[in-house]
Amino acid sequence: RGECLWHVDLSGCGELQDGVVTSLAAGCPRLKVLRVSGCTQLRHPVVRGECLEHVDLSGCGELQDGAVTSLAAGCPRLKFLKLFGCNLLRHPVPVRGECLEHVDLSGCGELQDGVVTSLAAGCPRLKVLRVSGCTQFRHPVIRGECLEHVDWSGCGEVKDGGGASLAAGSPSLQI
């Protein structure tokens, strides 16, 4: 058990399995930062932690929707979530997080409008949202009182009125 462990970086461990990450998160009650980017075998790790604030699962190309759903539900203090390049994500149950401030979904090309709309609505402290390369978006509704930055470059199908709608619903946004 890692009673005092607060930061773990296992990025690039291509053979890392779900059970190892699940056990690690469960056995380290003070864990604040978990980085497992590029761990290509991860599909559905159960990551829960009262203290977890920063989780990076970018490049985990086999990651399933349920993993994101359980992560959001099991980490009440989560502030930073990076899922860049998790290209199998399609319809995770809406992610809600009272503390979430930064979410990176760039390169998650299968995500639909409703996912990012629910995310923005369910995260009242969201400041930064990166969704570049999410090519399935058409008319996402992204609004937030605290939202300061949205990167939707490479979302070529988003209609021209999207930026005006975004600016109108996000008073802190700097365009």
Side-chain angles (χ1 to χ4, degrees), residues 66-77:
V68 176
T69 301
S70 65
L71 170 71
C75 301
R77 294 183 182 160

Side-chain angles (χ1 to χ4, degrees), residues 9 16 29 69 72-73 81 113-114 162:
D9 188 343
L16 191 65
T69 301
L81 178 59
D113 291 349

Side-chain angles (χ1 to χ4, degrees), residues 3-169:
E3 296 294 328
C4 296
L5 196 60
W6 67 272
H7 184 125
V8 172
D9 188 343
L10 296 171
S11 298
C13 295
E15 299 299 316
L16 191 65
Q17 299 291 317
D18 292 344
V20 174
V21 175
T22 299
S23 295
L24 177 70
C28 300
R30 294 186 179 159
L31 191 63
K32 288 186 177 189
V33 178
L34 177 61
R35 289 189 171 105
V36 289
S37 63
C39 296
T40 55
Q41 299 297 313
L42 295 180
R43 297 176 53 82
H44 199 293
V46 178
V47 177
R48 295 189 174 134
E50 288 294 318
C51 295
L52 264 173
E53 295 179 358
H54 181 115
V55 175
D56 183 352
L57 289 158
S58 58
C60 296
E62 297 295 317
L63 198 68
Q64 303 293 311
D65 290 339
V68 176
T69 301
S70 65
L71 170 71
C75 301
R77 294 183 182 160
L78 192 62
K79 292 182 181 181
F80 181 97
L81 178 59
K82 188 170 184 180
L83 298 167
F84 175 88
C86 295
N87 51 10
L88 291 183
L89 297 180
R90 287 180 173 76
H91 305 288
V93 172
V95 173
R96 301 194 185 292
E98 288 296 317
C99 297
L100 263 175
E101 295 178 358
H102 184 119
V103 177
D104 187 345
L105 297 168
S106 301
C108 297
E110 297 299 318
L111 291 180
Q112 304 291 316
D113 291 349
V115 173
V116 74
T117 297
S118 295
L119 173 73
C123 301
R125 294 183 183 170
L126 190 63
K127 293 180 182 179
V128 176
L129 178 61
R130 298 186 188 287
V131 291
S132 64
C134 293
T135 56
Q136 298 300 314
F137 290 164
R138 300 297 181 264
H139 302 284
V141 177
I142 303 171
R143 295 189 176 123
E145 290 292 318
C146 297
L147 203 55
E148 296 173 359
H149 177 79
V150 175
D151 177 2
W152 61 8
S153 57
C155 299
E157 296 297 320
V158 174
K159 303 303 177 197
D160 291 339
S165 173
L166 176 64

